[in-house]
C-alpha cells in the first residue's frame, strides 16, 4: 500500500546530502538518502610539471564545493609551486563559502551562477598579458566554462582532481522508495540523472511506480532532465541549498493542495 507522506529522494553524494535533509525537516518533508554518484580523488603527479613551466597564473576558477575542498588539499601538498595563495573566483555562494572555510582567498558576485557568467567575469579580470587561469575540476566536466573561455581568448588550464563515478542502488533501497506516493526526486548533476535513467527507472517500472517529479539544482541539470522525458517540476532559483530546499517545498505544497 502506498503511503502519502511528503518525501524527497536526495541523489547527491556526501557531504551535503545530510544538510539538505536537515533543512527539509522544517518543511515537514521526509528525506530518503540515495546518492547516485560518488566522488573519487585523482592524484596525477604528471599534471604538476606544466605548472612550473607555465607563465603567470592569474587566478583559479572554482565551480563546485568538491573542487574547492580538493584544491585546498592539493595546494597544501604542492605548496612549493605557489609562493602565496592564488585568488579563487567562484561559481555560486556555496562554493565561495566553502572556499573561504578552507582558508582560500576567494571571491564571488551574486550574479555568478554558471560557467557562462564566470567566463564573462574572468574576461573583465584578465590582464593584457593573458596569463593562465587554473581550473581544478572533475575528469568529466560540463564544458561550458571551457567553451566560453576559449571563445573569449582566455587561457584556461585544467587541473583534474577528481572524477564522478556511478553509485548503483540495490534492490532493497529502491523497493523502499516504491512505497511512497509521488516522491520528489532531487538531482544535482547530469551524472546523477544518467544513473537514474540507466539503473533506477527500469527497476521502479517493475513495481509500477507513479511517474516521478524531479527538482534540479541548476539549468545544466534541468536540461539533462528534460532530455529524458522526466517531469521537471522545479529548478532552484539559485544553485545553493536554501533555494533548492525552497523549490522542493513548493513542489510538495502543490502535491498536498
Amino acid at each position: 500500500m502506498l503511503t502519502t507522506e511528503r518525501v524527497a529522494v536526495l541523489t547527491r553524494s556526501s557531504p551535503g546530502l545530510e544538510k539538505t535533509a536537515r533543512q527539509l525537516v522544517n518543511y515537514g518533508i521526509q528525506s530518503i538518502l540515495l546518492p547516485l554518484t560518488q566522488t573519487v580523488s585523482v592524484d596525477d603527479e604528471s599534471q604538476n610539471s606544466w605548472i612550473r613551466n607555465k607563465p603567470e597564473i592569474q587566478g583559479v576558477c572554482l565551480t563546485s564545493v568538491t573542487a574547492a575542498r580538493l584544491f585546498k588539499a592539493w595546494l597544501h601538498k604542492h605548496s612549493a609551486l605557489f609562493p602565496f595563495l592564488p585568488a579563487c573566483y567562484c561559481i555560486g555562494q556555496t562554493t565561495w563559502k566553502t572556499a573561504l572555510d578552507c582558508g582560500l582567498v576567494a571571491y564571488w558576485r551574486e550574479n555568478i551562477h554558471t560557467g557562462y557568467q564566470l567566463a564573462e567575469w574572468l574576461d573583465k579580470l584578465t590582464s593584457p598579458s593573458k596569463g593562465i587561469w587554473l581550473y581544478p575540476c572533475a575528469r568529466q566536466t560540463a564544458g561550458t566554462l571551457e567553451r566560453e573561455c576559449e571563445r573569449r581568448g582566455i587561457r584556461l588550464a585544467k587541473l583534474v582532481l577528481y572524477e564522478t563515478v556511478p553509485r548503483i542502488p540495490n534492490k532493497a533501497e529502491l523497493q523502499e522508495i516504491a512505497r511512497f506516493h509521488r516522491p520528489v526526486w532531487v538531482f544535482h548533476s547530469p551524472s546523477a540523472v544518467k544513473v537514474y535513467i540507466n539503473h533506477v527507472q527500469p527497476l521502479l517500472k517493475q513495481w509500477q511506480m507513479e511517474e516521478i517529479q524531479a527538482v534540479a539544482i541548476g539549468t545544466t541539470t534541468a536540461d539533462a532532465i528534460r532530455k529524458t522525458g522526466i517531469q521537471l517540476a522545479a529548478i532552484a532559483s539559485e544553485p545553493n541549498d536554501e533555494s533548492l530546499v525552497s523549490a522542493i517545498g513548493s513542489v510538495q505544497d502543490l502535491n498536498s493542495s
Side-chain angles (χ1 to χ4, degrees):
M1 182 177 179
L2 293 178
T3 176
T4 56
E5 293 178 59
R6 290 155 57 94
V7 172
V9 183
L10 307 181
T11 65
R12 73 182 300 183
S13 58
S14 293
L17 191 68
E18 296 79 7
K19 179 184 175 184
T20 308
R22 288 195 298 270
Q23 293 192 30
L24 285 172
V25 171
N26 297 328
Y27 283 84
I29 298 173
Q30 175 185 343
S31 298
I32 297 177
L33 309 186
L34 189 78
L36 296 184
T37 60
Q38 53 191 351
T39 299
V40 179
S41 297
V42 172
D43 188 8
D44 184 358
E45 290 291 339
S46 66
Q47 296 185 102
N48 303 331
S49 60
W50 62 263
I51 297 177
R52 298 184 181 93
N53 302 315
K54 288 287 183 181
E56 176 190 2
I57 292 178
Q58 295 201 63
V60 179
C61 307
L62 291 179
T63 60
S64 70
V65 167
T66 300
R69 290 190 175 116
L70 292 179
F71 180 61
K72 175 58 178 179
W74 182 89
L75 269 179
H76 179 74
K77 185 176 180 181
H78 302 287
S79 57
L81 296 176
F82 292 91
F84 52 85
L85 287 176
C88 300
Y89 296 85
C90 304
I91 290 181
Q93 185 178 34
T94 304
T95 300
W96 171 61
K97 286 183 175 179
T98 300
L100 291 176
D101 289 343
C102 289
L104 296 170
V105 178
Y107 302 96
W108 172 69
R109 289 181 176 175
E110 291 188 1
N111 63 330
I112 308 296
H113 297 297
T114 67
Y116 178 87
Q117 292 164 342
L118 180 57
E120 281 190 321
W121 191 17
L122 298 184
D123 202 13
K124 297 173 183 176
L125 294 169
T126 300
S127 71
S129 64
K130 294 289 184 181
I132 296 289
W133 288 89
L134 192 60
Y135 177 29
C137 60
R139 194 181 300 280
Q140 306 87 5
T141 62
T144 304
L145 178 61
E146 295 161 84
R147 287 193 302 272
E148 291 301 320
C149 284
E150 182 179 5
R151 189 170 69 84
R152 291 171 168 81
I154 299 170
R155 299 171 66 189
L156 192 69
K158 291 175 66 173
L159 175 65
V160 176
L161 295 181
Y162 64 101
E163 59 184 340
T164 302
V165 298
R167 177 195 172 270
I168 313 302
N170 60 48
K171 186 176 180 179
E173 288 177 303
L174 298 181
Q175 283 180 321
E176 172 65 18
I177 295 170
R179 295 175 47 245
F180 294 95
H181 176 71
R182 298 195 81 183
V184 174
W185 285 70
V186 185
F187 294 100
H188 286 74
S189 68
S191 299
V193 176
K194 184 177 181 180
V195 174
Y196 175 86
I197 290 297
N198 292 338
H199 301 284
V200 175
Q201 192 175 56
L203 276 177
L204 292 179
K205 281 187 174 180
Q206 293 179 17
W207 302 313
Q208 298 181 336
M209 185 181 182
E210 191 172 346
E211 181 180 356
I212 75 162
Q213 295 174 298
V215 173
I217 185 66
T219 55
T220 302
T221 302
D223 289 343
I225 292 171
R226 290 188 185 98
K227 291 176 182 177
T228 67
I230 296 172
Q231 179 187 352
L232 179 62
I235 308 172
S237 58
E238 295 182 3
N240 58 46
D241 210 52
E242 291 73 19
S243 297
L244 181 66
V245 168
S246 179
I248 298 166
S250 67
V251 174
Q252 289 286 18
D253 288 343
L254 286 173
N255 289 342
S256 303
S257 60

